[in-house]
């Protein structure tokens, strides 16, 4: 497939010209009834309301041209079919297929990437059997008691997505089941988690695609030691999810072992066994399959070529409008849902590790902006914290609101004629209006300039299927943007240097011989830094 540079796409010039005079949301014809009705899309149980973006039909038409000229849907189809999309032509790179979509392409017989979907099915089958054995007590602790808790030990992609999804779906837990997560090499992370569970009833799920990650291997050792200290046999408690052939691919060392494959990137792996084992334990096998079903529905819907009917593509193109043409450097993801408390953290990784790149897929320096900074916190909490800057700061921050019409637990109260859920959603809608339209005032301190773009993603209820859809919408949005910017969204070379330097510092700290240390301290920047930091 021939890739084109972003600045060579003819629609870029059209969009640059249109950006000189974007739609004025603060004016008398800014956010009209007609506009609210027109600028919306519906698919997969979600409504996407984007009247609050600084676009009108000319801009949308040009964004459509841009999507077509860059062949975004074709690239997405190529990705799903197993093309090697994780590569930089002419340079050493991971050189891999990108097939997280295959993990959920299991619901029909005509699959995009048959081999990968078969492998996903095999792992799912193993998982189903394992969970059944845990349910019946065939797999139990030394006393024959059933397991109630699973601790996932993993970091980055082996933590953030599964953790965010677990937190989002807690009301759907199988009664009596819980999950915890240990990611940080900070010993206080594990100390707190291990101190809060009954280890004798706990399964430890060590997740590392590479099987070489310092934090995870260290924490595995720490947890095994804690089991032994508690008089428990790690062989009855510790399982693994890893890549085939990795140093952790040693089934004899684990109670059960599951695989993830090299064509699934860490940050896209929540729907592989990386998420599947813990989410299956907590939600039940069918609960995890519901997540996969939701994600698969979006993977199919995202093939629509019309940006007005393809929510992930539309989100991607509006993001490009804000980033490349209106020049906004960050995006806030504000979920009006406490359940999505870690979803922004997951997106931070998924988006910034994917699209925080400066070279094209042919290894040249990009001459245009790529991924923005992604951040966010749940509403309404954020309203009492950082929204001041969103409304009146000098930096304009496009907002992606996410909300649900009904709550998860169904335990609500009516106060002054409205439920808490109504208050929650009303606040989200009000914030979107305030940011878009602003408000004049004689007092400059009370003036709101408006024209702060935002869109709203709204569904009825956050359940496993909805969560799968939401996850896939964002994964696909991110991939579309990377395709458009002609960058490799699937590698992460930028995290290597820090790792190498940390290894150097640790090697120095591990030196026993004080003479060696003294000599080194005088010679290298690393050693001097360790010394003045008081660590040697
Ligand atoms: C994700 C990244 C990174 C990775 C972690 C953990 O896309 O590659 O966050 O997931 O570094 O890696 P392992 O799963 O190999 O331990």
């Amino acid at each position: 497939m021939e890739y084109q540079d972003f600045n060579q796409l003819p629609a870029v010039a059209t969009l640059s010209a249109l950006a000189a005079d974007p739609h004025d949301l603060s004016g008398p014809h800014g956010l009209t009834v007609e506009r609210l009705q027109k600028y919306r899309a519906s698919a997969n149980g979600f409504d996407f309301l984007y009247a609050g973006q600084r676009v009108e039909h000319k801009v949308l038409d040009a964004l459509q041209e841009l999507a077509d000229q860059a062949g975004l849907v074709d690239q997405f189809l190529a990705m799903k079919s197993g093309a090697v999309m994780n590569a930089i032509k002419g340079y050493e790179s991971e050189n891999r297929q990108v097939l997280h979509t295959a993990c959920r392409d299991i619901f029909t017989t005509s699959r995009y990437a048959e081999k990968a979907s078969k492998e996903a099915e095999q792992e799912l089958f193993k998982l189903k059997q394992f969970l059944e054995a845990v349910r019946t007590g065939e797999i139990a602790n030394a006393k024959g008691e059933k397991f109630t808790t699973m601790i996932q030990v993993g970091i980055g992609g082996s933590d953030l997505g599964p953790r965010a999804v677990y937190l989002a779906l807690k009301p759907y837990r199988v009664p009596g089941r819980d999950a915890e997560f240990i990611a940080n090499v900070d010993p206080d992370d594990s100390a707190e988690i291990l101190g809060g569970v009954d280890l004798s009833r706990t399964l430890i799920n060590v997740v590392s695609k590479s099987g070489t990650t310092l934090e995870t291997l260290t924490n595995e050792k720490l947890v095994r030691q804690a089991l032994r200290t508690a008089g428990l046999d790690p062989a009855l408690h510790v399982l693994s999810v890893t890549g085939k052939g990795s140093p952790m691919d040693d089934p004899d060392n684990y109670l059960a072992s599951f695989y993830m494959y090299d064509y699934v990137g860490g940050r896209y792996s929540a729907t592989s066994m990386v998420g599947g084992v813990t989410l299956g334990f907590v939600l039940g096998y069918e609960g995890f399959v519901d997540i996969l079903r939701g994600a698969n529905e979006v993977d199919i819907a995202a093939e629509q070529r019309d940006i007005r009917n393809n929510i992930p593509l539309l989100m991607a193109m509006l993001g490009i409008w804000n980033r490349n043409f209106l020049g906004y450097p960050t995006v806030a993801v504000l979920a009006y849902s406490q359940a999505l408390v870690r979803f922004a953290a997951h997106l931070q990784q998924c988006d910034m590790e994917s699209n925080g790149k400066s070279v094209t897929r042919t290894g040249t320096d990009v001459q245009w902006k790529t991924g923005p900074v992604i951040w966010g916190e749940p509403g309404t909490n954020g309203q009492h914290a950082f929204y001041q800057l969103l409304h009146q700061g000098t930096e304009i921050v496009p907002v992606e609101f996410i909300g649900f019409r009904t709550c998860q637990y169904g335990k609500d109260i009516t106060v002054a004629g409205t439920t808490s859920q109504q208050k929650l959603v009303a606040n989200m809608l009000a914030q979107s209006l305030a940011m878009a339209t602003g408000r004049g005032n004689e007092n400059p301190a009370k003036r709101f300039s408006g024209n702060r773009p935002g869109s709203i993603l709204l569904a009825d209820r956050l359940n496993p299927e909805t969560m799968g859809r939401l996850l896939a919408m964002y994964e696909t949005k991110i991939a579309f943007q990377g395709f458009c910017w002609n960058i490799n969204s699937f590698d992460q070379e930028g995290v290597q240097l820090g790792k190498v330097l940390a290894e150097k510092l640790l090697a120095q700290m591990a030196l026993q011989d004080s003479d060696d240390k003294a000599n080194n301290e005088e010679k290298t920047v690393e050693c001097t830094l360790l010394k003045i930091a008081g660590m040697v």
Side-chain angles (χ1 to χ4, degrees):
M1 177 172 280
E2 275 308 308
Y3 299 135
Q4 292 187 75
D5 278 348
F6 179 76
N7 58 359
Q8 300 301 315
L9 301 168
V12 165
T14 317
L15 285 158
S16 299
L18 289 167
D21 185 22
H23 181 74
D24 180 9
L25 293 163
S26 67
H29 305 293
L31 199 56
T32 60
V33 171
E34 194 201 14
R35 185 175 169 85
L36 282 170
Q37 283 165 345
K38 221 177 201 177
Y39 292 94
R40 58 181 177 163
S42 298
N44 305 119
F46 275 90
D47 293 313
F48 182 63
L49 315 180
Y50 60 102
Q53 294 285 348
R54 301 196 68 186
V55 296
E56 30 60 47
H57 282 294
K58 273 191 202 157
V59 172
L60 288 172
D61 289 344
L63 289 173
Q64 176 75 60
E65 282 169 29
L66 187 68
D68 294 341
Q69 289 162 5
L72 299 189
V73 172
D74 292 323
Q75 293 194 56
F76 178 61
L77 289 169
M79 183 191 93
K80 289 207 295 183
S81 307
V84 177
M85 306 297 278
N86 178 358
I88 306 278
K89 278 185 190 164
Y91 293 87
E92 190 209 319
S93 60
E94 289 188 325
N95 219 29
R96 290 176 182 163
Q97 296 170 299
V98 177
L99 282 174
H100 49 279
T101 47
C103 297
R104 52 247 192 174
D105 188 11
I106 53 166
F107 296 96
T108 63
T109 45
S110 72
R111 282 101 181 256
Y112 281 91
E114 184 55 36
K115 183 170 172 283
S117 288
K118 258 225 151 60
E119 283 168 337
E121 270 184 325
Q122 279 163 7
E123 293 307 305
L124 279 168
F125 183 67
K126 265 163 60 182
L127 177 64
K128 193 176 184 182
Q129 287 183 315
F130 172 77
L131 293 175
E132 186 56 14
V134 170
R135 191 187 68 77
T136 59
E138 191 188 319
I139 292 181
N141 72 9
K143 289 187 191 158
E145 296 163 325
K146 290 186 184 176
F147 289 107
T148 57
T149 305
M150 184 174 281
I151 300 180
Q152 176 150 343
V153 177
I155 195 164
S158 295
D159 167 60
L160 286 157
R163 190 196 293 249
V165 174
Y166 165 69
L167 293 172
L169 298 176
K170 276 176 103 170
Y172 298 89
R173 277 173 299 180
V174 171
R177 294 269 177 90
D178 249 319
E180 298 286 350
F181 293 80
I182 297 175
N184 206 326
V185 74
D186 180 344
D188 291 340
D189 190 8
S190 40
E192 192 182 312
I193 299 298
L194 295 174
V197 298
D198 175 359
L199 269 183
S200 72
R201 308 281 297 268
T202 299
L203 288 165
I204 310 294
N205 176 22
V206 184
V207 183
S208 176
K209 176 177 166 179
S210 63
T212 61
T213 302
L214 170 96
E215 291 89 336
T216 304
L217 296 186
T218 306
N219 281 329
E220 177 179 353
K221 287 203 170 70
L222 191 151
V223 174
R224 281 180 183 268
Q225 193 182 61
L227 286 167
R228 282 190 291 266
T229 306
L232 302 166
D233 179 0
L236 297 180
H237 291 260
V238 186
L239 40 137
S240 71
V241 179
T242 193
K244 258 202 168 146
S246 93
M248 263 176 62
D249 183 6
D250 179 8
D252 292 344
N253 204 23
Y254 297 98
L255 171 69
S257 303
F258 299 91
Y259 288 121
M260 68 173 303
Y261 292 87
D262 71 355
Y263 47 72
V264 177
R267 53 195 174 272
Y268 295 90
S269 66
T271 53
S272 75
M273 283 304 113
V274 168
V277 177
T278 299
L279 294 172
F281 175 79
V282 176
L283 305 173
Y285 178 76
E286 290 305 328
F288 180 59
V289 171
D290 283 345
I291 296 174
L292 300 184
R293 186 175 294 108
N296 181 243
E297 282 170 21
V298 169
D299 293 341
I300 294 165
E303 293 174 10
Q304 264 280 345
R305 286 171 192 274
D306 179 352
I307 65 167
R308 289 168 171 90
N309 286 320
N310 179 337
I311 295 178
L313 183 57
L314 184 53
M315 286 167 70
M317 300 320 287
L318 291 171
I320 285 175
W321 170 247
N322 286 329
R323 178 78 178 120
N324 297 94
F325 300 99
L326 301 186
Y328 304 138
T330 88
V331 172
V333 180
L334 306 177
Y336 277 66
S337 159
Q338 192 57 30
L340 291 180
V341 62
R342 290 295 287 167
F343 190 57
H346 164 63
L347 292 182
Q348 226 166 36
Q349 171 183 40
C350 199
D351 198 317
M352 291 164 72
E353 200 167 39
S354 296
N355 290 340
K357 308 282 164 66
S358 305
V359 294
T360 67
R361 287 178 286 185
T362 48
T364 57
D365 290 338
V366 295
Q367 306 297 324
W368 50 92
K369 296 285 184 190
T370 61
V373 172
I374 306 291
W375 60 284
E377 276 289 315
T380 60
N381 302 14
Q383 290 176 204
H384 301 266
F386 53 81
Y387 277 39
Q388 167 63 40
L389 185 149
L390 300 186
H391 287 289
Q392 291 186 315
T394 50
E395 205 63 75
I396 294 198
V397 181
V399 175
E400 295 180 357
F401 293 101
I402 303 173
F404 303 94
R405 295 182 186 95
T406 51
C407 62
Q408 289 182 311
Y409 284 100
K411 292 181 183 167
D412 203 345
I413 186 173
T414 301
V415 175
T418 57
T419 64
S420 299
Q421 186 67 22
Q422 286 174 320
K423 289 178 178 71
L424 180 69
V425 177
N427 266 280
M428 175 178 77
L429 301 177
Q431 290 295 331
S432 77
L433 287 177
M435 285 176 196
T437 58
R439 190 186 62 190
N441 197 299
E442 282 173 9
N443 179 346
K446 294 183 187 292
R447 210 172 281 155
F448 292 77
S449 63
N451 272 325
R452 291 163 189 257
S455 43
I456 303 168
L457 202 46
L458 197 56
D460 281 341
R461 191 169 189 207
L462 183 56
N463 58 28
E465 207 157 346
T466 317
M467 189 63 228
R469 292 168 178 159
L470 187 64
L471 199 66
M473 277 184 186
Y474 270 95
E475 287 175 356
T476 312
K477 170 205 166 184
I478 292 162
F480 279 138
Q481 290 191 331
F483 296 151
C484 197
W485 287 320
N486 191 19
I487 53 179
N488 179 4
S489 299
F490 308 106
D491 66 0
Q492 53 284 316
E493 294 297 337
V495 300
Q496 297 308 330
L497 179 59
K499 276 191 203 168
V500 172
L501 293 180
E503 290 292 351
K504 251 181 153 174
L505 298 188
L506 288 169
Q508 177 63 22
M509 288 167 89
L511 276 182
Q512 295 304 317
D513 184 318
S514 55
D515 282 350
D516 276 357
K517 274 192 184 176
N519 286 339
N520 287 346
E521 275 163 30
E522 281 158 27
K523 285 183 204 141
T524 69
V525 167
E526 290 85 2
C527 294
T528 311
L529 182 59
L530 273 176
K531 193 171 182 197
I532 61 175
M535 294 302 288
V536 286

